[in-house]
Amino acid sequence: MAVQDYIRQRFFPHMWCPGCGHGIVLNSLLRAVEQLELDKNDIVMTSGIGCSARISGYVDFHSLHTIHGRALAFATGVKLSKPELTLLVPMGDGDALAIGGNHFIHAARRNIDMTAIVMNNRIYGMTGGQFSPLSGCGIKATTAPYTTIDNDFNVVDLAAAAGATFVARSTVYHAKESTELLKNAIQHKGFSVVEILSQCPTHFGRKNKGGDAAAMMENYKNITAPVGSKTLEENPELLGRGIFVQKERPEYCQEYDKIIEVAMKGASK
Amino acid sequence: MENKIKFVQGNEACVEGALYAGVDFYAGYPITPSTEIAEVLSQRLPQAGGKFIQMEDEIASMCAIIGASLTGHKVMTATSGPGFSLKQEAIGYACMAEIPCVIANVQRGGPSTGNPTHVSQGDINQARWGTHGDHAIIALTASNHQDVFEMTIDAFNLAETYRTPVILLLDEAIGHMREKLEIPAAGEIELVERLRTSVPKGVDYRPYLPREDGRLPMSDFGGEHRYNVTGLYHDMWGFPSASPQVVNELLRHLVDKIDINIEKITRYKEYFLDDAEYILVSYGSSARSAIHLAKNRREKGEKIGVLELQSIWPFPHDLVREKCSRAKSVVVVEMNLGQVMAQVKASVDNPEKVFLANRIDGKLITPSDIKRLLRVIQGRGI
């Protein structure tokens, strides 16, 4: 199936600002779905609120555009009630880790089989440029006119510590690499997290002298290096790209099936 | 199959009703005094092949049942005061996206943490107006365990009929009291199943296009129709729209689908109303005291009747006006500062004849409490 068959073409052009990285995330994700030859009827995309969340309207899957921060909670209900479905849960950084932080760590703890994609542009774009829990210190935002003093999360460390069994990071500069990581994540049986750095030239870049979209993407090339590479080893201040965690642990829905088996035996006695 | 007789808590009667109605997905977060609903369902649901999940909070629980409802399951959650507050945003989502679901709220004292193990009926207005924006809601209540069982089934039936969240407003006294419950054999009580679309695969399915009778046929997530569900104002395909016409029509549809069916939704019981000079309007555990007093005073020749409301929202204004039209006085018996009384006053022709017999101290209102007020109203002294 061609990539455009996975989108709702009538809603294009999309509403993201010129230069936004989110369209590239969408592209990487669709390529992953295409290469895995997934059936559209088997995919449910659940999103929250924000620029990132509008992604679910553009894909021709079952799509659930929920309330701010709760995409993973809705997705948990969908997945547990119908485990044969493939759950894709793209979220913005504020969506996933501020208001949705609780759901993020608990979905990871349960190891429920879904793919969480953190589209990290370090800013609240839709509301006009307020800082997010991934902005980090020293960042200018409409709610941090004197720069932020809030520390950020390391999404990879947080996801791994909370129990996610697949954790990866990439950037929109590395779109093909993102596709490979997303394919791995979707195929992984358990809770997968893929953080993709995605530029917001409109709100983050402009205030923080990040340059235009191309410059911001170029920056992703310069501040990251592949996991296991010599470059990363020699420059620990760089951000790693690639797979950080990939391990087997009992998956939640499968474990629940065992509960049903035990309960039904007990009930028939 | 014969009827089964059990001696249960009200919370367990609620579980029995939910299982009878066919609930097969529950997500919740433990909170007193509703916890037994979760505990019993965690045992019973997997025995029937259903799913129970204890979520990280009440917000997540409400969201999870909405997700599960979309895959075609009958879903519920249960909570009490503070948890009910947390669920409100997602209840609004279910109203807007028209997702059938049942929320049991076993009321405790409030505001805030309030009085977790004591009785209250303070969430009447929150059930109606807890979430933001204009919308309709259905809220049911019950005063004994047989009715808890039946109202729970009704809650599922109404949720599936009108594609709406239905709130079951129980209270701590009902939830924790033990009483006899007779569970009818399967098939004795009619169950409403979700109306599913007959639109064939490949043909344009419009999830928010009502049929002539107003019902919206659904398609299960994971099925052949891929559509969008959102909390934004949306068109008949489920896609966001800010068109004034779309917004106006959607909001009116959300409200009208309940309002025009108020007679079908209204549930009530009446005791000695035909010639009653004094009418007690009550619900939930308060109604037990009202009924007890009315029976007792009837034996003494006093013309006292009771109108027990089993559906609080949409509020049955016409019913209350009609039933109370000939009464000298109407006394609303409830355990709050007059939440239903305000509705009764708004219903009757002479609001000055409406009085409130209440208690807000965490103790059940007793027949003597009501009797004392009645004596004053009747001019018989304290």
Side-chain angles (χ1 to χ4, degrees):
Chain A
M1 202 179 269
V3 155
Q4 58 265 37
D5 293 332
Y6 288 101
I7 59 176
R8 292 165 172 154
Q9 294 189 50
R10 64 187 181 282
F11 295 118
F12 284 75
H14 57 64
M15 49 70 77
W16 292 314
C17 300
C20 174
H22 288 358
I24 303 174
V25 177
L26 171 60
N27 189 318
S28 294
L29 182 59
L30 291 176
R31 303 257 167 211
V33 171
E34 179 205 18
Q35 289 170 29
L36 292 172
E37 296 179 355
L38 299 178
D39 186 325
K40 292 196 283 189
N41 282 339
D42 294 338
I43 304 175
V44 177
M45 183 183 277
T46 305
S47 64
I49 293 294
C51 301
S52 63
R54 287 302 188 97
I55 193 171
S56 60
Y58 300 133
V59 291
D60 191 17
F61 309 141
H62 303 281
S63 54
L64 183 53
H65 180 232
T66 69
I67 49 180
H68 192 36
R70 319 297 173 198
L72 285 168
F74 279 83
T76 299
V78 175
K79 180 69 183 179
L80 183 60
S81 63
K82 209 165 191 174
E84 62 269 32
L85 295 172
T86 298
L87 266 294
L88 304 177
V89 192
M91 297 168 285
D93 34 306
D95 205 23
L97 291 161
I99 186 166
N102 198 26
H103 311 307
F104 186 84
I105 58 175
H106 287 281
R109 172 179 65 81
R110 280 184 199 109
N111 196 35
I112 187 158
D113 182 24
M114 53 180 71
T115 303
I117 301 145
V118 182
M119 299 159 76
N120 179 9
N121 58 13
R122 303 175 66 191
I123 201 82
Y124 287 90
M126 194 164 266
T127 39
Q130 301 77 31
F131 68 89
S132 96
L134 300 186
S135 291
C137 284
I139 293 302
K140 282 202 161 183
T142 58
T143 45
Y146 311 108
T147 74
T148 48
I149 53 168
D150 290 45
N151 292 308
D152 56 350
F153 283 124
N154 180 316
V155 180
V156 166
D157 290 350
L158 180 69
T165 47
F166 183 97
V167 182
R169 180 193 286 129
S170 186
T171 87
V172 294
Y173 182 89
H174 307 89
K176 285 191 173 173
E177 186 184 280
S178 298
T179 295
E180 288 307 311
L181 294 175
L182 287 163
K183 272 161 64 182
N184 275 302
I186 293 166
Q187 285 182 301
H188 177 77
K189 196 83 195 152
F191 188 69
S192 313
V193 176
V194 182
E195 180 191 13
I196 303 180
L197 307 183
S198 170
Q199 77 281 1
C200 174
T202 306
H203 291 299
F204 188 90
R206 199 155 42 96
K207 266 211 159 59
N208 291 288
K209 299 190 167 45
D212 62 10
M216 291 181 82
M217 288 177 72
E218 192 83 18
N219 184 50
Y220 289 145
K221 184 179 72 167
N222 298 328
I223 63 166
T224 63
V227 174
S229 70
K230 211 168 171 202
T231 323
L232 189 62
E233 211 172 286
E234 287 169 357
N235 303 287
E237 77 283 1
L238 293 179
L239 276 174
R241 293 195 326 270
I243 298 170
F244 293 82
V245 177
Q246 188 167 20
K247 62 183 179 190
E248 296 300 314
R249 200 152 61 82
E251 193 275 326
Y252 194 84
C253 301
Q254 291 181 342
E255 290 304 294
Y256 201 89
D257 286 343
K258 294 180 195 164
I259 294 286
I260 290 178
E261 211 173 300
V262 171
M264 282 182 151
K265 266 184 203 154
S268 63
K269 265 177 197 167
Chain B
M1 211 168 91
E2 281 182 18
N3 293 5
K4 212 174 352 175
I5 291 172
K6 285 189 157 193
F7 186 62
V8 295
Q9 284 191 347
N11 284 340
E12 293 171 84
C14 174
V15 168
E16 295 294 350
L19 289 167
Y20 192 98
V23 68
D24 54 3
F25 190 93
Y26 178 97
Y29 188 82
I31 179 168
T32 303
S34 73
T35 311
E36 293 81 9
I37 296 177
E39 287 173 341
V40 179
L41 276 171
S42 72
Q43 186 182 14
R44 299 281 296 279
L45 268 176
Q47 289 176 348
K51 306 276 173 74
F52 168 94
I53 185 167
Q54 184 167 310
M55 295 298 285
E56 54 271 21
D57 57 32
E58 285 91 348
I59 301 171
S61 311
M62 190 61 218
C63 297
I65 65 164
I66 294 171
S69 182
L70 275 165
T71 67
H73 291 84
K74 283 192 178 175
V75 302
M76 85 175 289
T77 185
T79 192
S80 302
F84 193 51
S85 298
L86 286 173
K87 287 180 191 297
Q88 291 298 337
E89 187 194 7
I91 291 173
Y93 183 94
C95 290
M96 178 64 111
E98 302 188 63
I99 315 286
C101 53
V102 174
I103 303 117
N105 173 9
V106 187
Q107 296 168 91
R108 60 195 250 182
S112 190
T113 319
N115 220 344
T117 53
H118 291 72
V119 71
S120 166
Q121 294 172 324
D123 301 349
I124 302 293
N125 284 339
Q126 198 195 5
R128 179 67 189 89
W129 301 112
T131 192
H132 58 280
D134 284 304
H135 61 87
I137 202 84
I138 297 175
L140 308 178
T141 185
S143 67
N144 65 64
H145 292 14
Q146 201 63 41
D147 288 353
V148 169
F149 175 83
E150 284 175 20
M151 284 298 130
T152 305
I153 296 169
D154 241 353
F156 279 92
N157 286 349
L158 292 169
E160 297 293 344
T161 303
Y162 297 105
R163 281 189 64 169
T164 183
V166 175
I167 293 160
L168 194 58
L169 276 176
L170 304 178
D171 59 57
E172 189 276 338
I174 294 293
H176 283 161
M177 178 176 59
R178 285 188 183 274
E179 199 167 68
K180 181 181 140 181
L181 170 70
E182 193 171 345
I183 302 170
E188 267 185 46
I189 298 179
E190 195 186 344
L191 303 180
V192 175
E193 296 309 323
R194 185 171 303 189
L195 187 65
R196 288 188 165 80
T197 182
S198 55
V199 169
K201 182 185 179 181
V203 175
D204 186 23
Y205 165 60
R206 287 169 282 187
Y208 293 100
L209 177 70
R211 299 195 317 182
E212 276 176 17
D213 61 3
R215 289 189 73 183
L216 294 175
M218 291 187 83
S219 172
D220 296 346
F221 261 34
E224 290 175 338
H225 303 286
R226 295 177 306 279
Y227 61 101
N228 191 54
V229 178
T230 179
L232 292 166
Y233 287 115
H234 46 269
D235 60 22
M236 65 178 91
W237 289 274
F239 289 102
S241 171
S243 140
Q245 189 189 344
V246 168
V247 171
N248 184 48
E249 282 179 8
L250 174 57
L251 197 47
R252 288 186 192 282
H253 159 74
L254 292 181
V255 174
D256 289 349
K257 71 175 180 180
I258 305 297
D259 280 359
I260 61 172
N261 288 302
I262 183 163
E263 282 182 19
K264 286 186 201 160
I265 295 168
T266 297
R267 275 109 175 100
Y268 69 96
K269 282 182 169 176
E270 57 175 86
Y271 304 85
F272 326 114
L273 273 195
D274 289 343
D275 62 341
E277 293 173 353
Y278 296 91
I279 296 179
L280 309 176
V281 177
S282 193
Y283 53 93
S285 57
S286 304
R288 298 173 75 100
S289 296
I291 295 161
H292 181 91
L293 178 75
K295 283 181 180 164
N296 182 278
R297 301 319 291 171
R298 278 277 164 184
E299 285 168 14
K300 307 271 190 301
E302 286 183 41
K303 290 181 174 173
I304 296 180
V306 177
L307 174 62
E308 181 189 350
L309 301 177
Q310 295 181 297
S311 62
I312 300 286
W313 303 113
F315 194 80
H317 291 287
D318 290 348
L319 173 85
V320 170
R321 187 196 301 111
E322 184 202 320
K323 296 289 180 190
C324 297
S325 61
R326 288 182 306 277
K328 283 185 187 165
S329 297
V330 176
V331 177
V332 181
V333 184
E334 58 183 336
M335 287 178 283
N336 57 50
L337 289 172
Q339 296 186 20
V340 162
M341 180 191 67
Q343 297 301 323
V344 173
K345 272 182 180 281
S347 307
V348 298
D349 297 324
N350 306 88
E352 64 278 7
K353 73 178 179 186
V354 178
F355 299 87
L356 174 66
N358 71 343
R359 242 184 126 131
I360 53 162
D361 58 359
K363 295 290 178 194
L364 274 167
I365 188 160
T366 63
S368 317
D369 292 331
I370 307 166
K371 189 171 128 191
R372 271 195 291 276
L373 179 81
L374 264 177
R375 285 180 64 90
V376 174
I377 295 168
Q378 291 166 339
R380 294 161 60 198
I382 297 174

